[in-house]
Amino acid sequence: MPDISYPVVVAAAKTWFKLGAVDVQMEGIEHLPETGGALLAVNHTSYVDYLMAGYPSVARGRYTRFMAKREVFDHPVGGPVMRSFKHISVDRSAGLESMDVAAEALRRGEIVGIFPEATISRSFLIKDLKTGAVRIAARAGAPLIPVVTWGCQRMFTKDHPKDFKRGKTVLVKVGEPMYPTGADPVAETAELRSRMEALLDACIREYPAEEQPPGSWWLPASYGGSAPTLEEAEAIDAEEKRKRAARKREKAMKKRKK
């Protein structure tokens, strides 16, 4: 089935970049294969990461099929949109099945995108990674390519108002491919995280200083910003998860009473 939605969104994104003076600077796109499958492991700092992390593939004449939680596909509006892009539904209660679906897409020659941190990093640093990325790549015999974006969090992320004002820079760095064997997923995941951290460090240090003054809320504390530390962010995430679970229990109780 031909792609219909993707070209339209790519054209709209390019128009936005031009009219909004969004300076998207990409490096390392030569690491993306022109043909054949590849799994992109992307850091997660914002709600527009899909768009920016998929842009290097577009530069290579290809599209990225992102893995996303099943709840997005269950949404009456979001579901049809996600399926039109041929993105991949992830059921967290059926992890092996989701990995099989992603591996099959890689074997078909697709570029697949995954966020191994699972959720947005409030610290904007690389969180602990799930082992799914290396396991999927090993299962499919596909290269695993780290991709890091920086600057997207300034536009639309957790705990902060949207800001799509003109004149923002976004850096996208594509690293050299890894070839996981799956023999030691924990060690291979640690290597992936190390590579992503190196790319992120380069992004932060190369970002225009005038757009990233000391104390900026979008800058990690370890780089002179006021974002939460990894530990503080983890505590916030845990509280958010607790409240979400409580709301679900309350909703379920109300249903049983009806």
Side-chain angles (χ1 to χ4, degrees):
M1 183 182 297
D3 281 287
I4 298 175
S5 300
Y6 237 129
V8 173
V9 169
V10 168
K14 289 180 177 179
T15 300
W16 168 39
F17 297 160
K18 183 176 181 179
L19 297 180
V22 180
D23 184 13
V24 182
Q25 301 178 19
M26 297 186 292
E27 182 181 291
I29 62 174
E30 69 275 7
H31 296 310
L32 298 177
E34 293 183 319
T35 60
L39 182 62
L40 309 185
V42 185
N43 70 318
H44 206 1
T45 64
S46 81
Y47 294 109
V48 295
D49 291 336
Y50 291 93
L51 182 61
M52 300 304 183
Y55 206 43
S57 297
V58 172
R60 297 289 270 177
R62 307 190 65 184
Y63 297 129
T64 302
R65 316 301 178 182
F66 283 98
M67 299 178 70
K69 60 184 180 181
R70 186 189 63 186
E71 289 82 355
V72 178
F73 288 82
D74 291 340
H75 192 276
V77 176
V81 171
M82 295 293 281
R83 283 186 284 273
S84 74
F85 286 100
K86 303 178 186 176
H87 291 324
I88 299 169
S89 175
V90 175
D91 184 350
R92 292 176 179 172
S93 65
L96 290 176
E97 181 180 336
S98 297
M99 286 198 293
D100 284 338
V101 173
E104 180 56 35
L106 291 169
R107 294 189 194 100
R108 291 197 307 269
E110 297 279 12
I111 291 182
V112 175
I114 186 172
F115 296 97
E117 295 168 283
T119 57
I120 287 176
S121 171
R122 285 181 159 98
S123 71
F124 308 119
L125 295 171
I126 307 299
K127 299 167 57 176
D128 287 339
L129 307 185
K130 308 297 183 183
T131 59
V134 298
R135 292 162 68 191
I136 292 168
R139 185 170 299 195
L144 175 60
I145 303 175
V147 177
V148 165
T149 70
W150 185 252
C152 304
Q153 73 275 26
R154 297 177 61 198
M155 301 175 183
F156 188 14
T157 191
K158 285 185 175 182
D159 308 326
H160 297 278
K162 303 182 190 68
D163 181 3
F164 290 101
K165 292 195 290 291
R166 290 169 49 85
K168 291 183 176 63
T169 298
V170 173
L171 303 186
V172 185
K173 289 188 182 291
V174 182
E176 295 183 2
M178 295 174 54
Y179 295 90
T181 65
D184 190 343
V186 173
E188 290 177 325
T189 298
E191 173 63 20
L192 173 62
R193 184 179 185 182
S194 177
R195 294 188 183 205
M196 293 178 72
E197 287 175 335
L199 291 172
L200 179 62
D201 178 72
C203 282
I204 295 174
R205 294 184 186 282
E206 294 173 18
Y207 202 74
E210 64 273 16
E211 294 186 50
Q212 191 170 262
S216 299
W217 64 259
W218 58 84
L219 185 63
S222 54
Y223 288 85
S226 57
T229 63
L230 275 169
E231 294 75 19
E232 290 168 342
E234 185 178 346
I236 297 171
D237 290 344
E239 179 63 13
E240 181 182 61
K241 186 176 181 180
R242 186 193 66 77
K243 289 181 178 179
R244 189 185 305 119
R247 287 195 297 269
K248 284 185 178 181
R249 288 194 299 271
E250 184 179 352
K251 187 175 181 180
M253 289 178 63
K254 287 181 178 179
K255 281 187 176 181
R256 285 197 294 268
K257 290 179 179 179
K258 287 183 179 180

